[in-house]
Amino acid sequence: MAPLLNGFPNGASGHLPNDPTLVTLRFSDIPPQIDIPVRGLEAEEAVEVNLEELLDDPTELCTLLEQEGVGKQYWMIIALAYAKQAKVDHAIEILSKGLGILNRGDPKEKLGPLSLTCWLYLWKSREAPRVLPEGQPANETGLKDFYLQAATGCLNEASRINPAFPPLFLAKGVLYLLRASLQPPSKAAAPGVPDISDRVETLRQSIKCFEDALRVSAGRNLMATLGRARAHFSLGKYAEALEGYQEVLLKTPHLQDPDPRIGIGCCLWQLGHKDEAREAWERALDLNPDSKIANILLGLYYIHDSSHYATTDPSFGPIYKKAMTVYTQKAFKLDKELPLTCATFGSYFMMRKSWATVDNLARKAIEHTDVNAVASDGWYLLARKEHYQDRPDLVKANDFYQKADLARGGGDKGYLPARFGLVQIQILQRDYDGAKFRLEKIIQQSKSTEAMMILGALHAEDVFRGQISGIKEDKSAEVKKATTLLEAVRLAWKDPQKKMTPDTSVLVYLARLYETDHPDKALQCLQQVEQMTINDMPNKEPPEGADADEAWSAKLREQLSPQLLCDIGCFHFNAEKLDQAREFFQTALNACVKAGEKDEGTDTDALVTTISYNLARTYEAAGLLEEAKQVYEGLLARHEDYTDARTRLAYIELRQNPTEDGPKAMAALYETDSMNLEVRSLFGWYLSKAKRRAPNIAEDQEQRHYKHTLQHHDKHDRYSLTGMGNLYLTTAREMRRDTDQDKEKRRKTYEKAVEFYDKALQLDPRNAYAAQGIAIALVEDRKDLTAAVQLFSKIRDTVKDPSVYVNLGHVFAELKQYSRSIESYEAALTHNRASDPQILACLGRVWLLKGKQDKSPSAMKTALSYSHRALALAPQQIHFQFNIAFVQIQLAQLIHILPESQRSLEDVMKASEGLEEAIESFGEIAQSKNPPYPRHDIEQRANMGRNTMRRQLERAVQSQTEYEEKNAAKLQEARELRDAEIRRREAEKRKVEEQKEAERQKIREERDKMAQLSRELAEKRTEEERRRQEAEYTTDEEGERVKRTKKKGGKRKKKGEDSDTGTEAGDGTEDKAVKKTRRKKKAQSTEPSSAVGSSNEEGGATKSKRKRKRLARRAGKEDKFKSQEMVVDSESEDDRQAAAQLTNGQASNDEDRDTEMRDAEDSQTVTRQKPKKRVIEDDEDEDEDKDEDEDEDEPSNKTTAEVDAEEHDDRNGASFADNPHGDPVDERVGAAGDAGAKELTMSGAPTILS
């Protein structure tokens, strides 16, 4: 049943007066006094008992009743009088003594007192505690269950006397309801499985009892209806419960105790109509301002409404204040023992940390409630009170949380906040696995964002602990779970319906999780934290006169956390956004200063030191070495033992003075901090750059350094392991491979290098440098180029170092994929290596190989260009000079072997010049101190160029000259032919364009003609419309334009009259003529003649003449009917066209026809026919037209009287078929249809077209 809003169903009419005389109060039928008859005295004498001032001890009164032997009604009235004064125990005592006396008489006399005693026990059960108060001895007397058992005994005794006694049904229903309130809620059953728990069965029994009470009362027992609705509500059947409460309210709109509006509001609340529930409760409060239930329910409504806003939202305060001060406080003043009010007020005092008040209110809610949910709230308050203590008793808190959960059913139906509290207790007890399991169950059932947040944080902490401990364990699953959960929480913030407040801790966790694999996402999270913090600042708007938004934003950032600003700067530094990183580091330093000014006790030295070091590193990466040195020196001035700053200063000195001061600074650093692994790593790098290569690796100084580090400092030092692998890899690359023994020794050296790399990768799977070393070994030792490409591609995505692209270029060159190799080398140049001569030399080599493969002189010229650039950057390197000479020799060979058609004389001459330069260069290189190749080989190359290639190029110059002279005429002829072909194509193109232009011009002319024709047709239609208007309208006596109207026709002659006068006045009635047009195929296909006397066909003339005769004859026969002809407008376009033709094109023909018709009928009045007529079509027109055409074609041998009789019979038949009463209008219709050929309407008098 849909909830009916306001009105009687949900809270009585809005205009219902609050008349106290209409309200029925409890115990209102108890009289103020009662007269007890006395035995032995006269009938008028009796003892008067004042029921408003009863004795505290009813013993004397019971003795009086027993001695006088009064009836049961006296015992019951006095007991009710005590109950009215809330002395329920005295009332039960009186009834018990009365029942003892009534045992001597008829047992049926006990039914009333037993029923009343049962109700009093039920009343006591409502007021009794649910459980024993804390600190009292175990005693079941005085508890709810005790009184329910006593009430059950009374009902059983009454049922034995008369089980059909009507009041027992209602009492049994209430008893079952109260008993169900003490039973634990049923746990969630599987889908499709019926709930057969004890509580559900008890509620079903109560519904059966209430229905029995309604049955015996013929549906008039409203208390039974209310009880059944309450049972349905407890079973979760809120729609059925709502129907019951609305039924009671419709029957008794003034009922206030109990008030059905309270139940209606509760049902609407459970059905999701919370605003309608509030309206019902407000109506109940209007009728009874002292309703404690209505007040507390309205308080709960506004508390729920305030939960939609954050505590910092301006809308939160007024709503929450209204809930607590206007409604909850009033309900508490009305009844300080009401469990729901106690539970609600307890949460308020919880926020104020009034632990004693919370404990008192929570225990009242637990002990006196009949509702399991209220008891659950009480246990939850106790659990929170223990949980929030400075030294919480976790065992007690855990026990209270479990009781709160079980009071609402536990399991899937339990109390979500209590289960969340259990999770927090498990976390405090470090039972992380149990907390995760419980949180996963909560998320499956409720999709709670709070549970997602905690579970995501637990998974993230697992990941962070693994990173700190250094345990090599795959945590990718935990990372994925944590990010998924926290991102779901982050997405929920965007839902406007949930009105959730973003939590910065979620973003911080996500930033740490994204730090390694997705630094861009981590930076976005930190930037969102920054923006949220700025938005929460009280004065975030820029003041008037602010210079720029950026300056104001920097000023606001100075109020943020220095750690946050430092982290954002680090992400910008890693993304190579050095300017932004420097800005954030400087702002973080300013924030540290302001933080120290706000709180002098805050130690910001560590933060300042770290941020200053990061700022110096940013200066260093940006090339501002002097600024970086100043910052490092400032750090060392404050902290002399800051090794990292000394290390960076030594490195900067080495870069600025690589020959003198740099090595001295490195040596001094190593002497002072030789135990520091970072220093030893830097010193090993320095040795690799400055050392001289030793013929034996065991004598290598760098190898001894790394070996000493691994043996005496840290055997798991990853830099030393990677350095050892690089040493063995370089050594293996330079080893001889002449004999099998040399090859085996070289292979073992590669394997030794791979072992070191593999050890480094085991310690750090993300060590891209070790992985790159393995890839190089695969290429050089096993020639596994495909696997090497895959490894280098993965390393390229991890390490932003030019060496990765250089190695990729080497591998692609070996695979003869020269284009991809060139791309890799050029990518290496863009990574701050544009002045690296080695990469330029590699590009020259690849372009040379590409030129030899493609036989492309341009590629070789590009190789020569890169070789010259490499030599310009390192002129002292003799092997770069050798590269230039070698490329020149190769270019000369290529030019020599190319056919004359693919080269030019200029190319040959330049190649010859390059050859001479190469011969000279080879001579110089051979005489140098350390030539790149044996002197003998270089001299042989020079001699080959001098003896063989020089002569070859000389012959090539001669042959190329002859070729170009011989082919000069051919070339000229070819050029002329080419020019002629170009001119011919251009002429054809112009011709095609001219043709297209002519076609376009023709189309334009045709369009103009069509437009002109359209204009002429439009003008013609306009002229025709003007003529039609002139034919339809005329000018009246006053000079105004009016429509033409037909003149009144004369009276029709009655049958048998001799008078042929058609101008006599009729009886004043006017009959409108109904015209009926008939479609004729022959008439439509035959064009009318233009004038009388034209050369028409003989058949057409005969037919026209015969039709005129028939029209005249019919007119003479039908003049007996009185009629006034009237022209009716037609909306048909065909009618207008026909009228226009008749008006314009057939004027002369119509004049002759009209003349004949005037001669035939002198008494008729001539009227002007308007061109526009309304046409009434008939389904039988076409068949009738065919019949008429056949009749016209055949000669008629009948007399005029016979024809008239047949036509009269036809008309009567049509009249009978269409109108059984013989209305004359059908005859007029039939007569009007005879003029279908020319659309002439003949009705008593002919209508002439003019």
Side-chain angles (χ1 to χ4, degrees):
M1 176 178 179
L4 303 177
L5 304 181
N6 227 342
F8 282 95
N10 283 356
S13 174
H15 304 285
L16 188 66
N18 298 334
D19 189 355
T21 61
L22 299 176
V23 179
T24 303
L25 300 177
R26 296 191 183 189
F27 304 104
S28 58
D29 54 347
I30 303 300
Q33 62 273 341
I34 186 173
D35 294 334
I36 300 175
V38 180
R39 288 182 181 179
L41 298 179
E42 296 180 2
E44 292 83 5
E45 295 185 11
V47 177
E48 182 178 317
V49 178
N50 189 350
L51 298 181
E52 294 181 352
E53 297 179 0
L54 295 170
L55 299 174
D56 292 337
D57 188 1
T59 305
E60 184 178 349
L61 190 56
C62 291
T63 303
L64 175 63
L65 294 175
E66 183 179 359
Q67 289 177 355
E68 300 303 329
V70 297
K72 64 178 181 180
Q73 64 274 16
Y74 292 95
W75 295 90
M76 295 176 66
I77 291 173
I78 294 173
L80 287 172
Y82 272 99
K84 183 179 181 180
Q85 297 180 12
K87 299 177 181 180
V88 184
D89 292 333
H90 293 335
I92 293 174
E93 181 182 352
I94 293 171
L95 288 173
S96 298
K97 292 181 179 180
L99 286 171
I101 295 173
L102 291 174
N103 283 332
R104 306 166 190 169
D106 187 1
K108 292 184 179 180
E109 293 294 322
K110 298 169 56 179
L111 289 174
L114 283 172
S115 177
L116 180 55
T117 305
C118 176
W119 282 109
L120 292 175
Y121 278 127
L122 293 177
W123 187 354
K124 289 288 292 182
S125 174
R126 294 293 305 275
E127 296 179 349
R130 184 188 188 98
V131 294
L132 284 173
E134 188 178 13
Q136 291 190 6
N139 186 6
E140 294 184 359
T141 58
L143 296 180
K144 289 182 180 293
D145 190 59
F146 172 78
Y147 291 108
L148 289 180
Q149 290 179 5
T152 303
C154 294
L155 282 176
N156 291 337
E157 186 177 353
S159 298
R160 285 193 292 269
I161 297 173
N162 184 7
F165 186 55
L168 298 181
F169 296 123
L170 185 61
K172 285 183 179 179
V174 175
L175 175 63
Y176 282 124
L177 266 181
L178 294 176
R179 185 176 293 169
S181 67
L182 298 179
Q183 295 172 340
S186 59
K187 295 185 178 181
V193 178
D195 193 348
I196 56 174
S197 62
D198 294 340
R199 181 174 179 274
V200 173
E201 290 299 324
T202 304
L203 290 172
R204 289 172 182 168
Q205 288 292 330
S206 70
I207 293 175
K208 182 178 182 302
C209 294
F210 289 132
E211 290 177 347
D212 290 339
L214 288 171
R215 176 177 50 80
V216 298
S217 65
R220 294 191 298 272
N221 193 334
L222 297 181
M223 296 299 108
T225 305
L226 288 173
R228 182 178 61 182
R230 179 66 179 84
H232 281 144
F233 186 89
S234 299
L235 286 172
K237 300 178 180 180
Y238 305 115
E240 298 178 13
L242 180 61
E243 292 180 8
Y245 288 122
Q246 289 176 335
E247 179 184 351
V248 174
L249 188 59
L250 286 170
K251 292 180 179 179
T252 55
H254 290 282
L255 183 63
Q256 297 180 19
D257 187 18
D259 194 342
R261 299 167 190 82
I262 301 297
I264 289 173
C266 292
C267 293
L268 291 172
W269 181 278
Q270 294 293 341
L271 292 171
H273 307 289
K274 292 183 171 53
D275 292 333
E276 290 80 358
R278 173 184 54 80
E279 294 175 3
W281 295 331
E282 287 177 346
R283 180 56 185 159
L285 200 61
D286 292 341
L287 297 176
N288 183 11
D290 293 334
S291 174
K292 54 187 179 183
I293 297 297
N295 274 288
I296 188 58
L297 288 175
L298 283 171
L300 290 174
Y301 169 82
Y302 285 106
I303 290 175
H304 177 269
D305 191 23
S306 67
S307 66
H308 295 155
Y309 302 94
T311 54
T312 56
D313 195 309
S315 302
F316 173 80
I319 299 175
Y320 188 77
K321 183 177 180 181
K322 182 178 182 180
M324 300 308 299
T325 59
V326 177
Y327 295 109
T328 307
Q329 189 175 10
K330 183 178 180 181
F332 188 73
K333 290 179 180 179
L334 291 171
D335 186 0
K336 295 183 179 180
E337 304 295 327
L338 185 64
L340 184 57
T341 307
C342 293
T344 306
F345 240 154
S347 62
Y348 170 75
F349 287 106
M350 176 70 68
M351 292 187 296
R352 301 184 63 178
K353 296 184 179 181
S354 300
W355 307 125
T357 306
V358 172
D359 186 84
N360 184 27
L361 293 174
R363 294 196 178 277
K364 283 184 179 180
I366 295 168
E367 293 168 2
H368 296 94
T369 185
D370 290 328
V371 182
N372 289 319
V374 178
S376 176
D377 290 340
W379 291 117
Y380 181 66
L381 285 174
L382 291 177
R384 290 177 65 194
K385 186 202 69 155
E386 296 293 339
H387 193 176
Y388 290 173
Q389 300 293 329
D390 294 334
R391 294 183 178 179
D393 189 344
L394 299 181
V395 177
K396 273 189 177 182
N398 188 72
D399 182 48
F400 290 149
Y401 278 133
Q402 287 182 350
K403 288 182 178 179
D405 186 39
L406 292 174
R408 276 186 165 91
D412 296 343
K413 294 175 62 177
Y415 191 31
L416 181 59
R419 296 161 65 190
F420 201 77
L422 286 170
V423 170
Q424 292 175 322
I425 297 297
Q426 287 177 315
I427 293 174
L428 291 175
Q429 294 174 342
R430 300 186 182 278
D431 183 10
Y432 300 121
D433 293 335
K436 290 178 185 177
F437 177 77
R438 196 180 293 272
L439 285 170
E440 288 173 355
K441 295 288 288 184
I442 292 174
I443 293 171
Q444 290 175 2
Q445 297 160 13
S446 64
K447 302 297 181 183
S448 170
T449 53
E450 291 81 2
M452 292 181 183
M453 190 186 307
I454 297 296
L455 184 58
L458 289 176
H459 285 302
E461 289 294 340
D462 282 349
V463 176
F464 301 151
R465 281 194 297 270
Q467 293 175 352
I468 294 173
S469 63
I471 299 175
K472 302 305 175 183
E473 185 178 356
D474 186 13
K475 293 289 185 179
S476 58
E478 283 75 8
V479 171
K480 184 177 180 181
K481 289 180 182 178
T483 52
T484 302
L485 290 168
L486 295 176
E487 283 292 354
V489 175
R490 189 181 179 188
L491 183 63
W493 297 342
K494 301 178 182 179
D495 190 351
Q497 296 180 352
K498 295 182 179 180
K499 297 181 180 179
M500 294 183 61
T501 303
D503 192 343
T504 55
S505 63
V506 174
L507 297 170
V508 173
Y509 273 118
L510 282 172
R512 292 188 63 185
L513 291 169
Y514 286 139
E515 180 179 0
T516 304
D517 295 331
H518 304 283
D520 53 339
K521 293 184 179 180
L523 179 60
Q524 291 176 4
C525 293
L526 294 180
Q527 289 173 340
Q528 188 174 352
V529 173
E530 174 195 4
Q531 190 60 43
M532 289 167 54
T533 310
I534 291 176
N535 293 337
D536 292 339
M537 292 180 181
N539 299 322
K540 61 183 178 182
E541 297 296 332
E544 295 182 0
D547 295 337
D549 293 339
E550 294 182 1
W552 180 247
S553 299
K555 187 175 180 180
L556 288 178
R557 286 196 185 102
E558 292 178 358
Q559 304 178 29
L560 300 177
S561 168
Q563 294 91 334
L564 174 63
L565 296 172
C566 182
D567 290 342
I568 295 176
C570 290
F571 280 108
H572 282 306
F573 179 85
N574 292 332
E576 298 180 358
K577 299 177 182 178
L578 302 179
D579 294 336
Q580 298 180 22
R582 183 172 64 251
E583 179 183 352
F584 272 94
F585 289 139
Q586 291 173 345
T587 307
L589 287 175
N590 297 334
C592 289
V593 174
K594 289 195 173 184
E597 293 175 355
K598 290 180 181 178
D599 187 2
E600 296 180 356
T602 304
D603 185 11
T604 59
D605 182 69
L607 277 173
V608 171
T609 302
T610 302
I611 297 170
S612 299
Y613 178 81
N614 292 338
L615 179 62
R617 289 286 289 115
T618 307
Y619 284 138
E620 187 180 345
L624 305 174
L625 300 182
E626 294 301 326
E627 289 82 351
K629 288 176 66 175
Q630 291 178 4
V631 177
Y632 289 136
E633 289 171 355
L635 289 173
L636 289 174
R638 290 192 301 161
H639 304 282
E640 296 180 358
D641 56 345
Y642 196 2
T643 306
D644 291 337
R646 296 187 62 192
T647 303
R648 300 312 304 178
L649 276 175
Y651 175 74
I652 292 174
E653 193 67 32
L654 184 64
R655 287 182 59 184
Q656 292 180 335
N657 301 295
T659 57
E660 296 181 2
D661 295 338
K664 293 178 181 179
M666 291 299 299
L669 174 66
Y670 186 71
E671 289 178 1
T672 56
D673 295 306
S674 61
M675 303 298 292
N676 189 294
L677 290 177
E678 293 295 330
V679 173
R680 296 189 68 85
S681 298
L682 180 62
F683 193 73
W685 172 84
Y686 164 70
L687 291 176
S688 67
K689 300 296 182 182
K691 71 176 182 179
R692 293 183 178 180
R693 298 188 180 278
N696 188 1
I697 191 173
E699 299 175 358
D700 189 90
Q701 188 177 1
E702 181 186 3
Q703 190 265 355
R704 290 179 178 179
H705 174 74
Y706 290 142
K707 187 175 181 180
H708 187 269
T709 302
L710 293 172
Q711 289 179 348
H712 299 91
H713 293 85
D714 185 6
K715 65 178 181 180
H716 294 146
D717 182 41
R718 290 167 292 179
Y719 188 87
S720 297
L721 291 170
T722 307
M724 290 289 286
N726 291 338
L727 280 173
Y728 278 97
L729 184 66
T730 306
T731 303
R733 181 183 299 157
E734 297 176 355
M735 292 178 67
R736 300 175 63 85
R737 61 196 82 176
D738 298 335
T739 63
D740 293 340
Q741 186 178 1
D742 294 339
K743 292 179 181 179
E744 182 65 19
K745 187 177 180 180
R746 182 172 181 268
R747 185 184 62 79
K748 290 182 178 181
T749 306
Y750 274 119
E751 290 179 354
K752 189 71 173 178
V754 170
E755 288 178 5
F756 282 108
Y757 289 138
D758 184 62
K759 182 64 175 178
L761 284 173
Q762 290 178 10
L763 295 170
D764 182 13
R766 297 180 178 274
N767 191 335
Y769 298 99
Q772 186 171 217
I774 292 178
I776 295 172
L778 286 174
V779 174
E780 296 182 353
D781 182 29
R782 301 182 181 180
K783 304 300 181 182
D784 191 352
L785 302 177
T786 305
V789 168
Q790 295 177 356
L791 280 175
F792 283 129
S793 299
K794 292 181 180 180
I795 297 167
R796 178 186 57 190
D797 300 334
T798 305
V799 179
K800 297 180 180 179
D801 190 83
S803 62
V804 182
Y805 293 95
V806 171
N807 290 326
L808 272 173
H810 293 338
V811 176
F812 285 131
E814 292 294 328
L815 290 171
K816 296 185 179 181
Q817 298 179 13
Y818 301 123
S819 298
R820 298 183 68 179
S821 177
I822 292 169
E823 292 177 2
S824 299
Y825 287 136
E826 289 178 348
L829 286 177
T830 59
H831 285 72
N832 298 326
R833 298 285 291 274
S835 58
D836 191 333
Q838 294 293 339
I839 300 177
L840 293 172
C842 291
L843 275 168
R845 173 176 173 271
V846 175
W847 276 108
L848 176 64
L849 296 174
K850 183 176 177 60
K852 292 177 68 176
Q853 183 184 46
D854 300 340
K855 294 183 179 181
S856 171
S858 61
M860 287 195 174
K861 291 176 183 179
T862 305
L864 185 61
S865 173
Y866 277 115
S867 300
H868 278 295
R869 289 174 58 185
L871 181 61
L873 292 173
Q876 71 279 5
Q877 299 291 336
I878 195 68
H879 58 277
F880 291 154
Q881 186 178 358
F882 176 84
N883 291 342
I884 294 175
F886 183 77
V887 173
Q888 289 172 334
I889 288 287
Q890 296 294 324
L891 180 59
Q893 289 180 350
L894 179 63
I895 292 295
H896 170 255
I897 63 175
L898 284 176
E900 290 87 349
S901 59
Q902 296 181 11
R903 68 187 183 188
S904 65
L905 180 61
E906 182 181 1
D907 294 335
V908 179
M909 297 298 294
K910 287 184 178 181
S912 179
E913 294 174 1
L915 177 62
E916 296 299 329
E917 293 177 1
I919 294 171
E920 184 179 355
S921 297
F922 281 140
E924 295 176 358
I925 295 169
Q927 299 300 323
S928 64
K929 186 176 180 180
N930 295 313
Y933 292 98
R935 289 186 176 87
H936 177 70
D937 295 342
I938 298 174
E939 291 174 353
Q940 281 186 348
R941 285 184 176 275
N943 292 331
M944 182 183 68
R946 189 179 298 110
N947 298 326
T948 305
M949 296 188 64
R950 181 182 291 174
R951 289 194 295 270
Q952 290 176 348
L953 286 179
E954 290 175 356
R955 288 194 297 269
V957 169
Q958 184 179 357
S959 63
Q960 187 69 28
T961 303
E962 295 175 357
Y963 172 79
E964 291 185 1
E965 290 177 355
K966 183 188 300 182
N967 293 293
K970 294 181 179 179
L971 290 174
Q972 182 63 28
E973 183 180 357
R975 291 192 190 98
E976 292 176 356
L977 290 175
R978 184 187 62 185
D979 295 340
E981 179 67 18
I982 291 173
R983 289 193 297 271
R984 184 186 64 78
R985 290 180 181 177
E986 290 178 352
E988 290 180 353
K989 186 177 180 180
R990 285 194 303 271
K991 186 176 181 182
V992 171
E993 290 294 333
E994 291 174 357
Q995 291 177 355
K996 290 182 179 180
E997 181 62 27
E999 291 177 358
R1000 287 194 291 268
Q1001 181 64 26
K1002 184 177 180 182
I1003 292 172
R1004 284 196 294 269
E1005 292 175 357
E1006 291 178 354
R1007 288 178 178 173
D1008 293 341
K1009 291 180 181 178
M1010 293 174 67
Q1012 180 64 25
L1013 181 60
S1014 298
R1015 286 193 293 271
E1016 292 175 357
L1017 290 175
E1019 292 174 357
K1020 185 177 180 181
R1021 292 194 190 98
T1022 304
E1023 180 65 20
E1024 292 176 354
E1025 182 67 18
R1026 186 185 62 77
R1027 291 180 181 179
R1028 185 181 66 78
Q1029 293 288 341
E1030 290 178 356
E1032 287 185 1
Y1033 289 87
T1034 185
T1035 306
D1036 60 2
E1037 297 177 354
E1038 298 178 357
E1040 296 182 356
R1041 298 277 293 173
V1042 296
K1043 278 191 175 184
R1044 299 179 185 272
T1045 57
K1046 273 194 175 184
K1047 296 182 179 180
K1048 296 182 180 180
K1051 291 184 179 180
R1052 299 193 182 197
K1053 294 182 180 181
K1054 293 184 179 179
K1055 191 174 182 179
E1057 290 185 355
D1058 296 334
S1059 176
D1060 57 354
T1061 303
T1063 60
E1064 294 180 5
D1067 55 358
T1069 60
E1070 298 180 1
D1071 298 331
K1072 293 183 179 180
V1074 182
K1075 304 172 189 175
K1076 186 173 181 181
T1077 61
R1078 298 184 179 181
R1079 295 170 292 182
K1080 295 185 178 181
K1081 296 181 180 179
K1082 294 182 179 181
Q1084 293 175 356
S1085 61
T1086 305
E1087 297 182 357
S1089 59
S1090 60
V1092 178
S1094 62
S1095 57
N1096 297 334
E1097 293 180 2
E1098 184 176 355
T1102 304
K1103 184 183 297 185
S1104 177
K1105 184 176 181 181
R1106 188 161 54 246
K1107 182 180 291 186
R1108 287 196 297 270
K1109 290 180 179 180
R1110 188 172 71 251
L1111 290 173
R1113 182 174 63 252
R1114 186 171 296 176
K1117 292 292 181 178
E1118 295 178 355
D1119 59 355
K1120 59 186 179 180
F1121 296 101
K1122 295 180 181 181
S1123 171
Q1124 182 177 357
E1125 190 64 23
M1126 188 172 181
V1127 178
V1128 182
D1129 293 342
S1130 173
E1131 297 178 357
S1132 171
E1133 184 67 26
D1134 296 338
D1135 294 341
R1136 288 198 295 268
Q1137 293 178 1
Q1141 291 177 1
L1142 289 172
T1143 302
N1144 301 326
Q1146 301 180 8
S1148 59
N1149 191 19
D1150 290 341
E1151 290 177 359
D1152 295 341
R1153 190 180 301 146
D1154 294 342
T1155 302
E1156 293 177 3
M1157 294 177 70
R1158 289 193 201 98
D1159 295 338
E1161 302 179 9
D1162 295 333
S1163 62
Q1164 302 297 326
T1165 301
V1166 179
T1167 61
R1168 184 178 300 275
Q1169 173 67 28
K1170 294 173 66 176
K1172 188 175 181 181
K1173 306 180 295 301
R1174 186 177 304 280
V1175 181
I1176 301 176
E1177 297 183 357
D1178 192 29
D1179 294 339
E1180 299 178 359
D1181 286 346
E1182 189 172 352
D1183 296 336
E1184 292 175 0
D1185 291 343
K1186 290 181 181 179
D1187 295 341
E1188 288 183 5
D1189 291 342
E1190 292 175 359
D1191 293 343
E1192 291 173 351
D1193 293 339
E1194 295 178 1
S1196 176
N1197 298 325
K1198 298 180 182 180
T1199 63
T1200 303
E1202 292 173 346
V1203 171
D1204 291 341
E1206 289 178 358
E1207 291 178 351
H1208 179 69
D1209 293 339
D1210 292 338
R1211 287 196 299 273
N1212 290 340
S1215 176
F1216 178 79
D1218 296 336
N1219 189 355
H1221 300 289
D1223 193 345
V1225 72
D1226 291 306
E1227 298 183 32
R1228 292 197 296 273
V1229 171
D1234 291 339
K1238 296 297 181 180
E1239 295 188 352
L1240 301 178
T1241 303
M1242 308 297 296
S1243 179
T1247 300
I1248 302 172
L1249 298 176
S1250 62

